[in-house]
Amino acid sequence: MNERRAEPRLWCSDLIEVRLEGAEPAELMANLEEISPAGACVQFEQAVVAGARICLRLGRWKFRGQVTHCTHNEIGYFVGVRFDAGRKWSRQMYEPKHLLNPARVLARGSKSNA
């Protein structure tokens, strides 16, 4: 599968606080599933509308952005978030509890198949 993103995302898992911005702001807990310097994928128990403004609390940092899509599957709603210009995530700022680079996993798998 070809990666369409400008920056590859890292797989992760971490429970985070999220604020949905708008007429009635809502504070939620969600699971951070993927992260890159420019955005993230977050799993929710409820749908979030594409285009919504959102703020993720990652450690002591706040990352504001816009919801790009929301996809439902059997375990919840996966929401893509593009961070606002001027804010880039890095491991030095915040490292999720569980973090994995899928490129390294795939590279290990192809070596064992050779």
Side-chain angles (χ1 to χ4, degrees):
M1 178 186 340
N2 291 337
E3 177 64 51
R4 297 182 314 182
R5 295 180 180 103
E7 300 166 314
R9 291 192 178 188
L10 300 177
W11 294 338
C12 56
S13 183
D14 204 355
L15 198 58
I16 62 169
E17 293 177 19
V18 177
R19 180 177 176 86
L20 298 177
E21 300 175 352
E24 293 184 37
E27 302 279 338
L28 304 169
M29 295 301 289
N31 193 55
L32 183 64
E33 295 283 334
E34 297 178 347
I35 193 156
S36 77
C41 177
V42 182
Q43 181 187 359
F44 288 93
E45 292 181 359
Q46 64 194 52
V48 179
V49 177
R53 299 288 304 154
I54 194 167
C55 179
L56 309 181
R57 179 175 288 282
L58 305 178
R60 61 185 181 100
W61 300 94
K62 290 182 181 177
F63 288 79
R64 287 186 169 78
Q66 186 169 21
V67 173
T68 59
H69 67 277
C70 179
T71 306
H72 179 258
N73 72 17
E74 64 277 355
I75 62 170
Y77 294 87
F78 289 86
V79 174
V81 179
R82 180 178 40 241
F83 298 143
D84 291 345
R87 173 67 80 185
K88 295 276 189 183
W89 169 82
S90 72
R91 284 177 94 163
Q92 291 75 27
M93 294 174 81
Y94 169 77
E95 186 165 340
K97 290 192 184 344
H98 305 282
L99 187 64
L100 183 65
N101 184 341
R104 289 186 178 181
V105 172
L106 296 173
R108 275 190 231 136
S110 65
K111 287 178 186 175
S112 65
N113 293 333

